[in-house]
Amino acid sequence: MTGKRWLCSTRIEKRVSRLSLSECVWKIRSRTRSLLFITIPLLIACGPRSLSMYTHQAINTHPTSTPTTILGGGLAGLAFAYFANLAGERVKLFEAAPFLGGNGRTLRFGEALVDTGAHRLHDRNTVATEAFSSLLGPDLRRVEAPSQIIWRGRGIDFPLKPLNAAMRMGPKGLFRVLAENIIPNRGCTPTTFEELAVFRYGPTLAGNFLLNYSEKLWGRRADELDPKVAGGRLSGLTLGSVLRELLLGANATTRHLDGAFYYPTRGFGMLVDALVDHIGEEYLHTNAPVTRITHDGQRVLSLDVSGECQKLGGEVVSTIPLPRLVELLDPPAEESVRRAARSLSYRHLRLCIVRLDQDTVSSSASLYFPEKSIPFTRLYEPKNRSSEMSPVGSTAIVLEIPCSDQEKWWMMSDDAFETEVLSALPATGLEVGPIIGVHSVRLSNAYPILDLNAAGTASKLLEYMGSFENLRLGGRAGTFRYLHTHDLFADAHEWANNRAAFGTPTSST
């Protein structure tokens, strides 16, 4: 059932729009205004060190002769290049893939634009939000689109509201949930995700909505997962939360990264395109895999890129997967370090994109599926983020299947994968119209697997890599942390701001 693929960036549409002189003038003027609006709030929020970085470009019109070398051209690598560029520094970025943006691209299938992931831009960091606004201008829009959990064909609020979920389970389920939580848990420090979920919600809610979903997502039992996989999402069931839901109903919202967010008009890939335009394509090298990194135990000295040795004099920022970075070192790290690196693993995603001859499937930003009988963990409909993602009268849905290298979902042919995923759609209870086309995409290293051993192991590796005085690690894969886009920008800004303030390399992670 695989249709023909068009793996296009929104860059094509963006360049066509530049044929309009009035639009060109607007973009130039809006960029000028954006820089003014960035500088003043950042001075207030972050102090003079932040302002010094943003005014550095005007002061230092002659970039340093030694460029900063960046490994990896995903969002993290581009964010580091962007803030280095703002600080007046030259950069040289190497990306092994034939494209930039990593797992944060926008692809075209027929007339539908689809992101490689349910990406959103959250207003959780002032610097990041200002950067998004500066890069995207009027193409950045605020979206109000809450998400839902689909359980046995019923919609339940997400983030999880305990009373709302319990009531969907019927009178017996409601009674059981209240009985399990009538006496609050105190004095317990959960050491696993399973303990945390049960501690916060009780066995019934945790078992139905949290544990199964987490095991599908991470590929590990819940008692093998670190509590950090919750990411601050589990607020728990308390008397206060029950009363709040009873009194406020649908307005009893929880502060969470779902619900209200910012989104580019023609897909998340617009952010990637804007970053590339700002940095300059001539400094960004694709099809450029790094195959060796030489060092003297204190500094990184050179890289082998596509068979060519690149001598280094400046700082290196690596956003490539942490185990891969250790593997590339020459001379090799000691065996205990290499063994630790091999023990870390990442979760991949395989996407099934279904184009439909109907205007919309749901009004939610994302739908989550905790039941193990349904193979996908999440469904998102790009059109609910921006109406420009699909024409009127048609839509696309994206179904995410987390998997690892040796699992059947990763190894299956496109036809077999698409057929099996589609066969599970009726169990969701969603009304899905005539299918126009079906496609699949593989995304490698989407999530670091945060099991109980990972945190300590990653910490040791980060400490080892931090011993190189001209090496800085960044990004989700590069630091083995679960980070959002605003986190990536905040980290990159902090790094560049410190360099501008002190004029010395920063090797911290």
Side-chain angles (χ1 to χ4, degrees):
M1 299 182 67
T2 305
K4 186 176 180 182
R5 299 179 187 171
W6 289 266
L7 304 184
C8 300
S9 166
T10 54
R11 180 181 297 276
I12 295 174
E13 294 180 65
K14 190 174 180 181
R15 285 178 173 165
V16 170
S17 71
R18 290 178 181 167
L19 295 175
S20 166
L21 179 60
S22 62
E23 288 189 71
C24 288
V25 173
W26 165 252
K27 285 185 179 291
I28 292 170
R29 288 177 177 172
S30 66
R31 279 179 181 263
T32 304
R33 286 194 301 271
S34 297
L35 286 173
L36 292 174
F37 283 115
I38 286 174
T39 304
I40 295 172
L42 286 177
L43 175 59
I44 296 171
C46 306
R49 285 172 63 186
S50 180
L51 178 63
S52 70
M53 199 208 82
Y54 277 98
T55 57
H56 193 211
Q57 188 176 27
I59 295 170
N60 182 13
T61 55
H62 301 286
T64 57
S65 58
T66 303
T68 295
T69 301
I70 299 173
L71 311 184
L75 278 170
L78 292 173
F80 276 99
Y82 169 71
F83 283 109
N85 185 278
L86 281 180
E89 296 190 31
R90 282 198 304 135
V91 298
K92 197 170 187 179
L93 182 148
F94 298 107
E95 167 55 50
F99 52 80
L100 296 166
N103 292 339
R105 296 170 292 140
T106 297
L107 311 179
R108 178 180 288 280
F109 297 93
E111 294 184 299
L113 294 172
V114 174
D115 294 338
T116 55
H119 302 299
R120 289 155 289 189
L121 299 171
H122 301 292
D123 186 13
R124 292 292 185 271
N125 179 275
T126 301
V127 169
T129 300
E130 293 289 353
F132 302 151
S133 179
S134 176
L135 287 162
L136 295 167
D139 283 319
L140 183 67
R141 298 176 185 173
R142 184 175 172 84
V143 178
E144 294 278 352
S147 298
Q148 280 198 317
I149 300 168
I150 302 298
W151 180 77
R152 298 183 181 176
R154 305 169 193 166
I156 297 169
D157 293 341
F158 182 85
L160 186 65
K161 296 176 185 174
L163 188 58
N164 168 265
M167 292 178 70
R168 295 293 191 277
M169 300 175 70
K172 290 183 179 179
L174 175 60
F175 177 80
R176 188 162 54 247
V177 168
L178 293 177
E180 290 171 355
N181 291 274
I182 195 166
I183 300 176
N185 292 311
R186 298 186 186 278
C188 173
T189 303
T191 58
T192 70
F193 176 75
E194 180 178 36
E195 290 178 1
L196 176 65
V198 173
F199 174 76
R200 294 285 173 85
Y201 290 104
T204 301
L205 280 181
N208 281 286
F209 301 111
L210 301 173
L211 304 184
N212 285 345
Y213 179 84
S214 296
E215 290 176 0
K216 285 169 63 176
L217 178 62
W218 300 100
R220 299 285 193 277
R221 294 198 320 267
D223 62 358
E224 297 175 335
L225 291 171
D226 193 294
K228 292 177 182 177
V229 302
R233 294 178 175 88
L234 304 187
S235 58
L237 189 153
T238 65
L239 178 59
S241 68
V242 170
L243 291 175
R244 193 161 51 247
E245 284 191 61
L246 287 172
L247 292 172
L248 301 179
N251 294 320
T253 55
T254 304
R255 181 175 175 82
H256 185 264
L257 296 181
D258 268 74
F261 52 89
Y262 289 99
Y263 189 77
T265 55
R266 292 184 299 282
F268 196 78
M270 289 189 75
L271 178 60
V272 174
D273 291 345
L275 286 165
V276 171
D277 287 346
H278 187 281
I279 300 160
E281 291 187 31
E282 64 270 29
Y283 304 111
L284 309 172
H285 306 276
T286 56
N287 290 308
V290 176
T291 55
R292 186 171 70 124
I293 299 173
T294 67
H295 65 92
D296 62 4
Q298 294 183 321
R299 294 178 60 84
V300 175
L301 302 176
S302 70
L303 309 172
D304 282 3
V305 182
S306 301
E308 181 180 340
C309 181
Q310 305 271 338
K311 297 292 185 182
L312 303 176
E315 188 162 4
V316 180
V317 177
S318 175
T319 65
I320 65 177
L322 184 55
R324 176 62 177 160
L325 178 65
V326 173
E327 181 184 328
L328 293 174
L329 293 177
D330 184 14
E334 59 186 63
E335 177 56 29
S336 62
V337 174
R338 286 182 285 149
R339 190 185 314 115
R342 289 193 297 268
S343 72
L344 297 180
S345 55
Y346 297 81
R347 197 75 163 146
H348 308 319
L349 281 181
R350 192 154 181 197
L351 309 181
C352 183
I353 297 104
V354 186
R355 294 187 290 124
L356 300 167
D357 188 19
Q358 68 185 80
D359 193 57
T360 189
V361 172
S362 79
S363 60
S364 299
S366 297
L367 299 175
Y368 296 90
F369 300 89
E371 294 172 275
K372 288 191 174 181
S373 58
I374 296 175
F376 36 87
T377 52
R378 179 164 59 181
L379 178 155
Y380 55 95
E381 191 172 357
K383 197 172 187 179
N384 291 340
R385 289 162 163 74
S386 172
S387 60
E388 296 186 34
M389 299 298 281
S390 289
V392 174
S394 68
T395 191
I397 57 174
V398 184
L399 306 159
E400 292 183 348
I401 312 279
C403 49
S404 299
D405 288 337
Q406 301 304 314
E407 290 186 43
K408 71 168 188 175
W409 296 108
W410 190 253
M411 301 173 67
M412 293 169 77
S413 68
D414 287 347
D415 285 344
F417 172 76
E418 293 157 8
T419 299
E420 191 157 347
V421 172
L422 288 177
S423 69
L425 265 179
T428 65
L430 299 173
E431 295 185 9
V432 177
I435 294 175
I436 300 173
V438 186
H439 320 270
S440 65
V441 174
R442 288 179 173 87
L443 304 176
S444 299
N445 303 322
Y447 304 111
I449 299 177
L450 303 178
D451 59 30
L452 293 176
N453 297 319
T457 301
S459 179
K460 292 176 183 177
L461 290 176
L462 294 174
E463 182 180 358
Y464 172 79
M465 300 308 300
S467 65
F468 295 98
E469 61 186 42
N470 65 333
L471 177 64
R472 172 63 151 85
L473 306 187
R476 180 183 285 189
T479 63
F480 212 77
R481 293 182 294 159
Y482 188 80
L483 301 173
H484 297 278
T485 305
H486 58 271
D487 298 319
L488 305 179
F489 274 66
D491 283 355
H493 167 263
E494 181 183 15
W495 163 81
N497 200 26
N498 287 341
R499 285 169 58 82
F502 300 111
T504 55
T506 54
S507 61
S508 65
T509 56

